[in-house]
Amino acid sequence: MTGAVIAFAYLFLGIILQKVPNFPAPKAANWVQAYLINIVLPALALLYIPEIKPTWGLLIPISAAWFTFLISWLIFGLLGKKFNWGRNVTGCLIIVAGLANTSFLGFPVIEALYGKEGLPIALLIDQGGSFLLVSSLSILVGSIYGNHSESLRKVPLKILKFPPFGFLAGTLIMSLLGIKTPEILLPLLQLIGKTMPPMALLVIGLRFSPDVQSITSRFFWYGLSYRLILAPILVWALYSQFMDTNSLEFKVTVMESGMAPMITGSIIAIQFGLQPKLATLLSGLGMPISAITLAIWYLLLG
């Protein structure tokens, strides 16, 4: 709880700094964003991914995160093309609405509702689902939709040059081979990892500028409606066919699918120039709005 309070303090700090005369808010946001992309995400990959022991039993809850991201890509990709939304809007919705905030928001919510027994399941969904996605497919989407002038032939090179993806690939190999991150590095990696929530919210705060036009934008509500309502409905409908609907695993999987948009996903979208304002609002306003929908999902799940 203390960590959440500190993180939200950084959100308000970013909003306040925007109002300080002559403070270079855009430049400061870019600096913090570069720190998150080039240092924090690689550190988190080294810290968590080698600890995952690949087994078939893990695939069911983990697959929910991949399922909802791919459905987001399918839905917004088709709608964006049909209604000519523009590649930046389409790419932003695919990434930000496709990724749930399964850790910063998800962990405390799951612990509060289901106790510590629910945390291992939430951890698997986050590390094997959301974190792998934000370091892989979200970069692919950003590369495809973020720069109109680039040939698709250059997309693989752009992905390989993106620091989080290189560390993700390396740590996945470590996980498959059973190689652990050297213990001497763990304290430093943990320290860097703890800066993710406050620094990510600082970036959101530095860019946060809601107005009536933005909040009433149909794209804002399309993104939130998918993330908070449609995604958990789809997971509930599909996974109830082969999971016990009264089990803790099923309830946590559905609840994690209904979390607000992932802050790191919005950072990736901003990095690729995919509608930064829309990305910021989806993750920033998505958290308080999700309190209502999560309460409803909790009651529906029993």
Side-chain angles (χ1 to χ4, degrees):
M1 182 61 72
T2 303
V5 171
I6 293 173
F8 276 107
Y10 274 79
L11 171 65
F12 291 112
L13 174 63
I15 294 172
I16 292 169
L17 288 174
Q18 273 195 73
K19 311 300 180 184
V20 175
N22 301 320
F23 181 79
K27 186 178 291 186
N30 289 336
W31 288 342
V32 179
Q33 191 173 300
Y35 166 72
L36 290 169
I37 296 295
N38 297 304
I39 297 177
V40 177
L41 283 180
L44 288 172
L46 276 171
L47 183 62
Y48 290 124
I49 301 303
E51 297 299 316
I52 297 176
K53 298 176 182 178
T55 64
W56 290 111
L58 300 180
L59 291 181
I60 293 178
I62 287 174
S63 66
W66 291 80
F67 170 67
T68 55
F69 185 88
L70 292 172
I71 294 297
S72 172
W73 195 344
L74 176 65
I75 290 175
F76 292 121
L78 290 175
L79 291 177
K81 187 173 183 179
K82 181 176 181 178
F83 295 106
N84 196 28
W85 288 350
R87 296 175 65 84
N88 283 354
V89 171
T90 303
C92 176
L93 289 174
I94 292 170
I95 293 175
V96 184
L99 291 165
N101 194 334
T102 50
S103 58
F104 174 64
L105 178 64
F107 291 169
V109 168
I110 294 301
E111 184 176 10
L113 297 179
Y114 299 109
K116 292 190 180 297
E117 294 81 4
L119 282 179
I121 305 163
L123 193 66
L124 286 175
I125 294 170
D126 180 66
Q127 294 177 18
S130 304
F131 185 77
L132 287 181
L133 281 164
V134 82
S135 303
S136 56
L137 287 190
S138 72
I139 300 169
L140 175 61
V141 173
S143 300
I144 293 172
Y145 288 88
N147 192 329
H148 301 189
S149 62
E150 278 197 355
S151 166
L152 286 178
R153 295 178 183 176
K154 295 182 180 180
V155 169
L157 180 61
K158 192 170 184 179
I159 294 172
L160 290 173
K161 290 169 66 177
F162 203 64
F165 183 81
F167 276 86
L168 171 68
T171 52
L172 280 175
I173 293 172
M174 290 171 66
S175 174
L176 291 171
L177 297 177
I179 301 172
K180 303 294 184 183
T181 302
E183 288 192 18
I184 194 172
L185 295 177
L186 294 181
L188 176 61
L189 295 175
Q190 289 168 351
L191 182 63
I192 294 173
K194 287 179 180 178
T195 66
M196 166 59 89
M199 291 297 100
L201 282 171
L202 178 62
V203 173
I204 297 299
L206 288 168
R207 297 181 182 275
F208 196 72
S209 55
D211 52 60
V212 174
Q213 184 178 359
S214 299
I215 296 174
T216 56
S217 164
R218 68 185 191 278
F219 300 121
F220 173 73
W221 291 105
Y222 288 165
L224 276 192
S225 296
Y226 174 78
R227 183 70 269 160
L228 303 183
I229 301 173
L230 183 57
I233 285 177
L234 292 173
V235 170
W236 190 357
L238 177 63
Y239 285 66
S240 63
Q241 303 304 310
F242 51 87
M243 291 180 75
D244 179 3
T245 55
N246 293 315
S247 68
L248 183 61
E249 288 80 5
F250 178 78
K251 292 178 180 179
V252 172
T253 300
V254 175
M255 288 294 291
E256 284 282 51
S257 300
M259 295 295 164
M262 187 184 194
I263 298 172
T264 316
S266 68
I267 300 297
I268 296 293
I270 293 168
Q271 181 77 9
F272 282 96
L274 299 173
Q275 291 292 314
K277 190 167 188 177
L278 176 60
T280 299
L281 290 177
L282 282 170
S283 57
L285 289 180
M287 283 186 285
I289 294 173
S290 69
I292 301 169
T293 55
L294 287 172
I296 295 171
W297 279 112
Y298 179 66
L299 293 173
L300 290 174
L301 288 167

